């Protein structure tokens, strides 16, 4: 993704840190153990993969940077497979 973003006009630099929501989710996961962790982790994986898939599909269909559109289009099958695996956890 970094290479595809850098190839854009103008180049796009991905955020160097996680968002506040991502930090909070990580803190929540760190506070859990055992079955509570397993359940929260599986739920977070499904949610994150679904969000990623929705973003990729949206950009593949209507994005304005050719290099990122190609990246998004090519990554959809992989993220779909990962989403299906996450749902099976």
């Amino acid at each position: 993704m970094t290479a595809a973003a850098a190839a854009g006009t103008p180049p796009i630099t991905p955020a160097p840190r996680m968002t506040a929501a991502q930090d909070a989710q990580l803190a929540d996961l760190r506070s859990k153990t055992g079955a509570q962790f397993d359940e929260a982790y599986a739920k977070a994986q499904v949610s994150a993969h679904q969000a990623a898939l929705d973003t990729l599909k949206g950009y593949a269909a209507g994005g304005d940077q050719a290099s990122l559109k190609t990246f998004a289009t090519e990554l959809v099958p992989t993220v779909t497979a990962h989403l299906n695996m996450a749902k099976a956890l």
Side-chain angles (χ1 to χ4, degrees), residues 39-72:
E39 184 178 332
Y41 179 82
K43 183 177 176 181
Q45 288 298 306
V46 170
S47 177
H49 281 86
Q50 186 63 62
L53 184 59
D54 293 344
T55 300
L56 289 167
K57 285 181 174 181
Y59 202 88
D64 60 353
Q65 296 282 336
S67 59
L68 288 173
K69 282 184 78 161
T70 298
F71 173 82

Side-chain angles (χ1 to χ4, degrees), residues 3 6 10-11 14 25 38 46-47 55 58 73 76 89:
Q25 186 175 42
D38 293 346
V46 170
S47 177
T55 300
T73 300
V76 164
L89 289 175

Side-chain angles (χ1 to χ4, degrees), residues 8-43:
T9 305
I12 299 168
T13 303
R17 296 192 25 83
M18 293 192 304
T19 65
Q22 291 166 330
D23 282 335
Q25 186 175 42
L26 184 57
D28 180 60
L29 285 172
R30 286 181 173 151
S31 73
K32 298 182 181 336
T33 59
Q36 285 183 328
F37 173 84
D38 293 346
E39 184 178 332
Y41 179 82
K43 183 177 176 181

